[in-house]
Amino acid sequence: MLLKLIGYEMKAFGRIMLPLYAATLGFALITGLSIQFLPDDFMSGLPGILLFMLYGILILAIIIMTCVLSVTRFYKNLLGLEGYLMFSLPTDTATLIASKVLSVLIWSMLSTVVSFLAIFLSALGAGGFGMFEGFAEIFSHPELFERLPSALATTILFLLMIILGAAASIVRIYAGIAIGHQFNDHRILMSIVALIGFNMIGTTLTTIFSRAGMYFGIFDSFGQIFEADTLRSLYIAQGGMILFLLAQTAFFGVITWLLLDRKLNLE
Amino acid sequence: MSILECRSLSKNYGSIQALKNIDLSLDSGRIVGLVGPNGSGKTTLIKLAQHLLTPTAGMVTIDGMLPGPQTKAFVSYLPDRDFLPQWMNLDQLTAFYHEFFADFNPAKSADMLEALGVTGTMPLGKMSKGTREKVQLIFTMSREARVYLLDEPIAGVDPATRDYILRTILTNYSENALVLISTHLITDVEPILDEVVFLQNGTIALHENSDALRERTGKSIDGYFREVYRCF
């Protein structure tokens, strides 16, 4: 059922995001080719400026639409009128929430890839394949490859941190919306108030823990590890952060689940 | 055999008691009218049976189970509002129902859509309100479910469509299914009802076989309720 729900979200997001991706990538290529083949004074004039502006706007639109859909798909599809259909499907509330979070993560990754691809395409159009010449240089320094395993490990951990950080942020927003939806009036306003409340509690807890860390000398001992073995301390920091983000995702996930499963208040 | 049961079921919204200690048992193979004035608790009872609300006290069970994923697999629910994704057209909706509901019969929905002249590739959001209501009911009745929970299914459609819908309900539910129709338009649904449950102020004022009620009172169900409760 989870895969079916994700598939449905792919269609719902895709009808808006896919045309946007296609337009951005097409425009990136046109921009790049224009730089390469059109006269410089044309590209530095008004048409060139407009071309760059539109290209920038499209990339911005991808970022904004990904964020907007992440929130509205949850709000409208689960807590709006469509919620009557979604909560009538033969599945549990946790699966519905998980499908939303995983879909947003997938679309966020796709949007990131497409944005980079757009930049890459415009650069490719502007510079041709000459831009790849520098890459050959890397292979003339074999000593760089000795550090590959550790670099790969930290990169994977770093990517995991980004994904979990995104998941924690999404679920936190969903928990805020779920709290706002407990009220019969001013639901959006109350959702924002809930999110501000989460931030305030988060800041307070961070302050308390950092003070406690200093008081008990945890930071000093970490500093010693850092001096003795930088790589190990990096792993510890990344591992700690991953555990923290996992806990945060689980905490806000449980709040969202409890409110949607036990206190659902559809329009 | 009883398929839907409420035991000491209560639901409060803050200080307002929407349902008060309800005991109800409904059997398979019956078409039951859930009637009562606005605010009597009809929609609340249906939402509790679909786990869209949780009881304040007591319980509702469907085929002996608490409402959840297992019961939703054989309960077909029609809410009293536009609940289908407005961006979908009929083909997309058919694919959605086919994918998510194992008991959905696409041939049945295609027949009914054709009979009511609902065709084309237009998204639901662009259809008229009446057409949307027809589509919603058609897809709900195209599931070969064991329980149908229909909340005000005929409120917004024209009389000709209303007749078709009632015929559809009568001819499309399986003999082992329970159809619970919430409505305040008693006259229209009266001919198809086997039983009637009358809710008033969150309590069951009456639960009786339709024929027995008519025989006992010498009046139509609608006439009886108008006279006794003077609230329609």
Side-chain angles (χ1 to χ4, degrees), chain A residues 1 4-5 8 11-12 15 73 81-82 84-92 261-262 264 266-267, chain B residues 47 50-54 69 72-73 77 79 81-88 96-97 99-101:
Chain A
M1 185 55 85
K4 284 183 185 175
L5 286 167
Y8 166 60
K11 285 177 200 156
R15 70 196 180 91
R73 282 298 304 158
L81 294 178
E82 287 174 29
Y84 286 94
L85 175 66
M86 300 310 289
F87 284 100
S88 294
L89 299 178
T91 187
D92 52 57
D261 198 66
R262 307 289 155 85
L264 187 63
L266 294 176
E267 283 174 43
Chain B
K47 281 183 168 180
Q50 190 64 348
H51 190 54
L52 294 174
L53 291 174
T54 40
K72 287 173 187 179
Y77 166 56
R81 48 199 74 205
D82 282 335
F83 70 106
L84 296 174
Q86 301 295 294
W87 56 272
M88 282 190 182
F96 181 91
Y97 264 71
E99 190 169 15
F100 286 99
F101 297 110

